[in-house]
Amino acid sequence: MQDPRGAVPRTARLLEAAVALLCRLGGLLGAITGLVCFALVCVSVGWRYFLGQPQPWIDHVAAWLVVGLVMFAAGETQRREEHIGVEVLTARLPRAGRRAARILGAASVALTAAILLVEGIATVSFSRMIGIATNVEGVPLWWVHTLIPLGAALLLAAALAQVVVLACGLEPRGPERKAHHGVPGGRAE
């Protein structure tokens, strides 16, 4: 018979690994989106200042790409625990207090991401229903709005995986961390 206490942490680690894969893919899409945005802005500058032919559509597309970059990268940023934290306060807490603060922080991010997901879906549905178009011919606004629930879903998955892992008494697996609080390779525990 298997130890039930061993099954829960293994399941938490499998969930964490699956979410990490999705978040890394989102981070890759965010990086590609950023590079495309940079290339378009360079092309726009060339057309505007060297050829005297501004291309207004590029400004619109670049703005959408910035939204895409942020939304795609949000989950990976959460998974890596690179969002802003208040370590001045949490570093003074005992070990159990730090863990509780991390769980509360991840749960807060999950709640915010859930709200963003629900509202993002409503925004996509509304803009699709009334047929709003962008300033770029042939591009409906709901295509751009779809970036919001996609990014929110990645963020929600990353935060929930962290809550589960932390609640199981485990430490989330993110990338190698530099020395922090005088402890090589991670946070002071």
Side-chain angles (χ1 to χ4, degrees):
M1 185 168 176
Q2 255 187 334
D3 175 25
R5 289 181 289 162
V8 172
R10 276 194 300 278
T11 303
R13 288 295 187 201
L14 284 172
L15 171 68
E16 181 183 40
V19 168
L21 183 63
L22 288 173
C23 288
R24 284 187 190 118
L25 177 60
L28 176 64
L29 287 172
I32 291 169
T33 301
L35 290 173
V36 170
C37 182
F38 175 72
L40 281 175
V41 169
C42 290
V43 167
S44 178
V45 167
W47 272 338
R48 181 179 307 266
Y49 297 108
F50 298 119
L51 302 176
Q53 299 176 350
Q55 301 294 314
W57 67 270
I58 292 179
D59 297 335
H60 298 292
V61 173
W64 305 336
L65 291 173
V66 169
V67 172
L69 185 157
V70 169
M71 296 312 295
F72 287 137
E76 179 65 0
T77 303
Q78 176 66 28
R79 186 188 74 78
R80 291 173 174 247
E81 296 186 41
E82 292 178 348
H83 284 294
I84 296 171
V86 187
E87 292 182 359
V88 169
L89 299 175
T90 58
R92 289 176 166 60
L93 294 172
R95 184 177 185 183
R98 279 195 307 273
R99 179 170 298 282
R102 289 175 69 199
I103 290 172
L104 179 62
S108 298
V109 170
L111 177 61
T112 302
I115 292 167
L116 188 59
L117 177 62
V118 168
E119 293 304 319
I121 291 170
T123 300
V124 170
S125 297
F126 180 74
S127 62
R128 189 170 181 197
M129 178 184 72
I130 63 173
I132 301 174
T134 65
N135 293 341
V136 177
E137 189 174 331
V139 179
L141 191 56
W142 71 268
W143 289 2
V144 179
H145 287 164
T146 301
L147 296 169
I148 297 168
L150 286 175
L154 286 172
L155 183 59
L156 178 60
L160 287 176
Q162 286 174 336
V163 168
V164 168
V165 168
L166 287 165
C168 287
L170 303 170
E171 197 56 35
R173 289 183 179 154
E176 288 289 324
R177 291 184 177 91
K178 296 179 183 171
H180 189 72
H181 295 296
V183 177
R187 294 177 188 257
E189 287 291 328

